[in-house]
Amino acid sequence: MTEVRYVYAVTRPFDEAAAPLHEDVRGVAGAPARLLAHDGLVAVLSDVPAGDFSDVALRERLEDLDWLAATARGHDAVVSALTAATTPLPLRLVTVCRDDDGVRRLLDSGRDQFTQALERLDGRVEWGVKVYAEGAEGTQEPRGAAGGRAGNEAARADDGGSARDRRPATGRDYLKQRMRRRDATEGVWAQADAVSRTLHTELSRYAEAEQVHRPQDPRLPGAARGNVLNAAYLVPREKGEAFAEEVRRLTPPGTGIRVELTGPWAPYSFAVTTAVPAAEEGESE
């Protein structure tokens, strides 16, 4: 079976015994990862079936969300394992070369970019912080007209009263209900925005770089509603514990505001500007 090289990341030389790249770490297509050292740089790659990564196959597979998700998981599994031993420079998803010589040419053609990025990222990891206005979800106007089934059920009294007991008696009462819900929603969002601003200001003191991403789209599978802040921070490894403690300290208790801390990760958000030379991507050699 003909195979091509799927390249996950570029690193500096490191102690291979410290990196858990063994049979238990499976990458893309379930393939184990291996190292290819070349002139002061190391490429981390897997040998994958050529037919699955041809130009024609990729055009179809890149429209397959399940395949993309599985590929991303395999890609991240290898990069995460590397992070335990070194600072990897993650490459873009589906960076493929024909053979080992193609990988060496990839390292040669991108040497300046790779070297500069590795120097900038060395000894640093990425932490992610998200803020959610969870309390806003319960204050959204329910679907359906006032007095309708959805409106009545959402307006049921906390003391167990019937929906009919909570039905607005007049149009003025209905408008008052809408205004109270609107004010409650706006209040939660305003508080979440204030928490986000404080967090970002204080956490930036620990970080050498920050990336504020667009809020998560609630229509995406598994995405939570009410995302106000979606940020990544490049933090020296030795400051990681203090960074996490600062997030905990600044998280307001019991307010309907949820703060989510993830990491430490490989510095994905700070490596994306490093372009892979086009002549070595896919099967364009």
Side-chain angles (χ1 to χ4, degrees):
M1 179 179 62
T2 303
E3 294 179 319
V4 293
R5 312 298 183 252
Y6 184 105
V7 189
Y8 302 94
V10 174
T11 76
R12 291 172 168 172
F14 62 94
D15 181 5
E16 296 183 29
L21 293 178
H22 45 68
E23 291 297 319
D24 292 339
V25 179
R26 291 288 171 168
V28 172
R34 64 181 175 91
L35 308 180
L36 191 156
H38 176 63
D39 197 15
L41 292 174
V42 176
V44 185
L45 58 94
S46 286
D47 302 314
V48 296
D52 292 345
F53 289 87
S54 67
D55 288 343
V56 174
L58 283 177
R59 277 195 291 270
E60 297 178 356
R61 287 179 176 270
L62 291 175
E63 300 295 326
D64 184 342
L65 295 182
D66 290 336
W67 183 87
L68 275 177
T71 300
R73 286 194 297 269
H75 187 106
D76 184 62
V78 173
V79 174
S80 295
L82 282 169
T83 305
T86 186
T87 300
L89 177 65
L91 299 188
R92 291 199 295 259
L93 205 66
V94 194
T95 296
V96 180
C97 297
R98 285 181 182 271
D99 51 28
D100 284 7
D101 284 341
V103 177
R104 294 185 182 96
R105 289 192 290 274
L106 171 65
L107 294 176
D108 285 337
S109 57
R111 181 169 302 280
D112 289 344
Q113 296 178 62
F114 294 148
T115 300
Q116 291 172 11
L118 286 168
E119 289 177 353
R120 177 170 55 88
L121 300 176
D122 187 36
R124 293 149 179 87
V125 291
E126 176 175 329
W127 289 85
V129 176
K130 296 184 177 69
V131 176
Y132 297 93
E134 288 193 322
E137 295 185 25
T139 59
Q140 295 294 329
E141 176 69 15
R143 292 184 180 181
R149 180 176 179 181
N152 290 338
E153 290 177 355
R156 191 179 303 274
D158 292 338
D159 61 1
S162 69
R164 179 174 297 177
D165 294 336
R166 299 287 295 172
R167 184 180 301 168
T170 66
R172 177 173 293 181
D173 291 338
Y174 169 65
L175 291 176
K176 287 181 178 178
Q177 280 189 6
R178 286 180 58 92
M179 291 178 66
R180 284 195 296 267
R181 290 170 181 157
R182 183 201 64 189
D183 291 345
T185 299
E186 290 178 352
V188 172
W189 279 92
Q191 186 176 7
D193 182 68
V195 169
S196 297
R197 291 175 183 274
T198 299
L199 271 169
H200 185 66
T201 298
E202 296 302 318
L203 295 178
S204 294
R205 303 180 192 277
Y206 293 84
E208 295 187 359
E210 310 89 26
Q211 287 278 357
V212 178
H213 304 297
R214 295 179 62 181
Q216 289 182 320
D217 188 338
R219 295 171 298 181
L220 295 176
R225 296 179 61 189
N227 184 211
V228 179
L229 177 69
N230 180 13
Y233 301 87
L234 184 67
V235 180
R237 286 180 184 272
E238 64 272 15
K239 292 185 178 180
E241 188 172 334
F243 181 92
E245 180 58 34
E246 187 72 353
V247 173
R248 290 188 286 269
R249 185 182 71 83
L250 294 171
T251 298
T255 60
I257 309 300
R258 180 166 66 91
V259 179
E260 179 182 278
L261 172 69
T262 59
W265 310 111
Y268 281 102
S269 297
F270 306 94
V272 294
T273 56
T274 300
V276 176
E280 296 295 342
E281 278 195 286
E283 297 196 330
S284 56
E285 293 180 7

